[in-house]
Amino acid sequence: MSGGPLPDDAPEAGYDYDMIVIGGGSGGLAVSKEASALGKKVAVFDFVKPSPAGTTWGLGGTCVNVGCIPKKLMHQAGLHGGNIEDAKSFGWNVGATTHSWETMVSNVQDHIGSLNWGYKVQLRDKAVTYKNEFAKFVDAHTIETEDKRGRKKTYTSRRFVIACGGRPTYDADIDPSLYITSDDLFSLEKPPGKTLVVGASYVALECAGFISHLGMEAHVMMRSIPLRGFDQQMSNMIVDYMEGKAADADGNIVSIGDSEGGEHRPTTQFIKGAVVDTVVGTADGKKTVTWKSSDGGQVMGTDTYDTILYAIGRQACTGALALDTVGVATERNGKMKTTCEQTNVPHIYAIGDVIYGQLELTPVAIQAGRLLARRLFGGSTMQMDYDQVPTTVFTPIEYGCTGLSEEDAIEKFGEENLEVFHSYYQPLEWTVPHKQDNACYMKMICNKLDSFRVVGFHVLGPNAGEITQGVGVAVKCGATKEDFDNTVGIHPTVGEEITTLEVTKSSGVEATKSGC
């Protein structure tokens, strides 16, 4: 869609609800609670269809149940394994350690269960009606719903918000009973064991990372590039780190085991330029995978795994909503083009992962939902700003970013108009355990024609998310390189590095740091 919002001029009265929200994830919960707080009668319909492996979950959507929350907790579990090893260098007498997948999953799921219950309580306290029923449109202002027992009902509403999110993409050529997705991983009753992760998305790399750091063998099958859409220098540095490699002082990629006294940590094997050809189940429940080159189709290799995890993308959950019945246009992936969250049908809106071409991030859906409710019912005119949204990839070495990737910045401003300040650095906490010197990296992309305004920030290292959240505020406020230079750093922290960046890529000067 282009231009401004369309007139939304249907009669205000005569419906069961002022607003019906389809989807009880982060965005759906946010918009419903905000609309109810503004005095409107609101209902949320949320129903999770089981995955092919039979996995289902409660209220809260992907983030809470099979996304951000369990992912971050299992990432933390993997980091703890490394912290135990580091503790020895700091004088702790640590004996043999083992990890219990079952204990971790049980405790993570207990926490998720408490969140599911908490969301129900919040909706009740905010006077939002919650229905665990699957909804689809039957006419412009009516939905038909079906509960888990097959009982059907109809409801009418003045406005609708589609916030049903997405689910993992499946490989049409492989029997889905032979593999799982992120829908299933976080509640597996038994450890996945030797795992093949198909795909190189952030979901793929995050899951492969914590699986390997929990003591299991993980392989990643990468068709082309890692972390498509992210800065490729940073993305490839993540792959190097996960493979057990990093740059030396001259920028050469070396193994962490090449130097005496170097770090010894879990690594992930990458199968590059490949796609799955066949998967065959074995008598003992394992899966034998044959893969071929992603360009010419030549068979490249074969191996046997305990678990195959597909992470090749996500599809919007709009296919069964009968959107064509009411004339809502969708793209091939099921997503909708919107203007100010409004679809081509004026009284039907969309937020979160179902919007075509926008960021699939929980805080984005929450912010967009709240602002939409305030515009519709509170007299606000504030629109959601999808630009300069900070985010973090929770791979074993975390990657935080806000603003443009270096590739996108060059395309937008021209390479000659940019200055990239960068530095390899070593967190103080990494010095005593003798971790790799040049695995951590930071760069700030500045527009020379606009007072060296920061148009992109990228950091690879521990606590990258915490650093990026603070930097994100500054970048959103239009900070320049001078603003960062004039800010006193907190010593000794990783975040301090943002105040001391001096070396530019264009200078060719070595960007490694030494001392404090």
Side-chain angles (χ1 to χ4, degrees):
M1 294 176 64
S2 60
L6 300 171
D8 180 2
D9 53 6
E12 290 291 341
Y15 309 100
D16 297 327
Y17 295 97
D18 298 306
M19 173 183 282
I20 282 178
V21 179
I22 301 176
S26 303
L29 295 175
V31 70
S32 64
K33 290 185 290 185
E34 192 72 22
S36 182
L38 292 168
K40 298 302 177 180
K41 187 177 181 182
V42 183
V44 171
F45 290 82
D46 186 69
F47 190 88
V48 180
K49 292 188 175 182
S51 73
T55 308
T56 188
W57 52 85
L59 183 64
T62 297
C63 172
V64 168
N65 295 282
V66 290
C68 315
I69 299 302
K71 174 270 301 288
K72 178 70 181 295
L73 292 173
M74 293 188 181
H75 165 67
Q76 186 66 24
L79 293 182
H80 280 316
N83 293 338
I84 292 170
E85 286 300 308
D86 291 351
K88 298 175 182 178
S89 298
F90 287 96
W92 287 95
N93 296 316
V94 180
T97 58
T98 59
H99 179 265
S100 170
W101 173 272
E102 293 82 359
T103 298
M104 177 188 69
V105 167
S106 177
N107 290 337
V108 168
Q109 291 300 316
D110 283 350
H111 176 65
I112 291 172
S114 70
L115 295 176
N116 298 148
W117 174 251
Y119 289 130
K120 290 182 181 180
V121 172
Q122 289 175 21
L123 292 180
R124 183 190 65 197
D125 291 346
K126 295 286 187 179
V128 176
T129 300
Y130 161 59
K131 300 285 188 180
N132 183 210
E133 300 169 12
F134 184 83
K136 66 178 182 180
F137 285 94
V138 292
D139 66 38
H141 289 276
T142 308
I143 58 169
E144 179 184 80
T145 70
E146 183 175 351
D147 66 15
K148 60 184 179 181
R149 296 182 180 178
R151 295 175 296 192
K152 296 182 178 181
K153 298 178 184 178
T154 59
Y155 303 88
T156 61
S157 179
R158 165 69 177 83
R159 293 182 176 91
F160 295 87
V161 177
I162 301 170
C164 53
R167 297 286 288 270
T169 300
Y170 282 77
D171 187 336
D173 297 323
I174 304 298
D175 183 349
S177 69
L178 295 173
Y179 63 90
I180 64 172
T181 69
S182 56
D183 278 359
D184 313 297
L185 176 64
F186 304 110
S187 57
L188 281 184
E189 294 181 355
K190 296 180 180 179
K194 182 181 177 181
T195 303
L196 173 66
V197 180
V198 181
S201 63
Y202 73 91
V203 175
L205 299 191
E206 288 174 339
C207 292
F210 71 68
I211 287 171
S212 63
H213 278 247
L214 293 175
M216 291 165 279
E217 188 175 350
H219 298 178
V220 173
M221 186 173 293
M222 186 168 73
R223 179 174 61 87
S224 54
I225 62 173
L227 296 178
R228 185 177 300 276
F230 288 88
D231 186 284
Q232 281 303 291
Q233 179 191 10
M234 310 301 290
S235 301
N236 282 294
M237 288 182 71
I238 291 172
V239 173
D240 289 339
Y241 183 87
M242 292 178 67
E243 287 184 305
K245 303 172 183 176
D248 62 16
D250 297 319
N252 301 312
I253 301 301
V254 298
S255 169
I256 59 172
D258 289 348
S259 58
E260 185 178 350
E263 179 195 4
H264 297 281
R265 55 176 164 80
T267 58
T268 303
Q269 179 179 318
F270 280 74
I271 306 169
K272 300 176 182 178
V275 293
V276 172
D277 186 21
T278 62
V279 178
V280 178
T282 63
D284 57 358
K286 298 181 185 295
K287 292 88 183 173
T288 298
V289 181
T290 300
W291 56 89
K292 59 186 178 182
S293 62
S294 55
D295 50 4
Q298 180 180 355
V299 173
M300 297 174 65
T302 186
D303 203 346
T304 300
Y305 298 90
D306 297 303
T307 301
I308 303 171
L309 171 69
Y310 263 79
I312 56 174
R314 296 178 68 81
Q315 297 286 323
C317 296
T318 57
L321 300 186
L323 294 176
D324 55 339
T325 301
V326 291
V328 175
T330 60
E331 300 300 305
R332 290 182 60 187
N333 59 4
K335 296 189 177 188
M336 292 158 281
K337 290 182 178 179
T338 63
T339 298
C340 306
E341 292 73 55
Q342 186 185 51
T343 71
N344 64 298
V345 177
H347 68 282
I348 299 177
Y349 300 81
I351 57 174
D353 295 2
V354 295
I355 295 181
Y356 181 79
Q358 291 297 359
L359 300 165
E360 297 183 5
L361 297 170
T362 293
V364 168
I366 293 172
Q367 181 90 324
R370 287 174 177 165
L371 293 177
L372 173 61
R374 291 169 190 169
R375 291 198 306 276
L376 292 178
F377 307 122
S380 173
T381 59
M382 183 174 291
Q383 300 289 346
M384 175 64 193
D385 185 356
Y386 292 93
D387 192 26
Q388 294 177 322
V389 175
T391 191
T392 294
V393 180
F394 290 98
T395 37
I397 187 166
E398 296 177 7
Y399 166 38
C401 60
T402 189
L404 299 173
S405 67
E406 191 169 346
E407 294 89 349
D408 289 344
I410 291 172
E411 182 178 349
K412 182 173 182 178
F413 297 108
E415 188 170 11
E416 70 280 5
N417 298 320
L418 297 173
E419 197 72 89
V420 180
F421 297 84
H422 69 146
S423 173
Y424 293 95
Y425 66 93
Q426 186 176 37
L428 180 65
E429 296 84 353
W430 285 26
T431 56
V432 173
H434 300 292
K435 290 193 173 185
Q436 178 67 33
D437 288 345
N438 298 313
C440 299
Y441 179 76
M442 184 181 293
K443 68 178 176 181
M444 190 175 286
I445 307 166
C446 303
N447 183 359
K448 293 192 289 188
L449 301 183
D450 185 19
S451 304
F452 281 77
R453 199 167 308 282
V454 179
V455 297
F457 171 81
H458 303 265
V459 59
L460 201 65
N463 303 306
E466 310 300 337
I467 297 165
T468 306
Q469 183 65 82
V471 175
V473 175
V475 172
K476 193 73 173 177
C477 291
T480 65
K481 178 63 167 61
E482 186 179 24
D483 292 324
F484 284 94
D485 293 342
N486 289 337
T487 301
V488 176
I490 302 172
H491 188 66
T493 66
V494 170
E496 177 185 21
E497 198 72 21
I498 64 174
T499 68
T500 61
L501 292 172
E502 296 178 346
V503 178
T504 65
K505 279 192 173 183
S506 61
S507 71
V509 175
E510 182 182 315
T512 55
K513 292 197 71 173
S514 60
C516 346

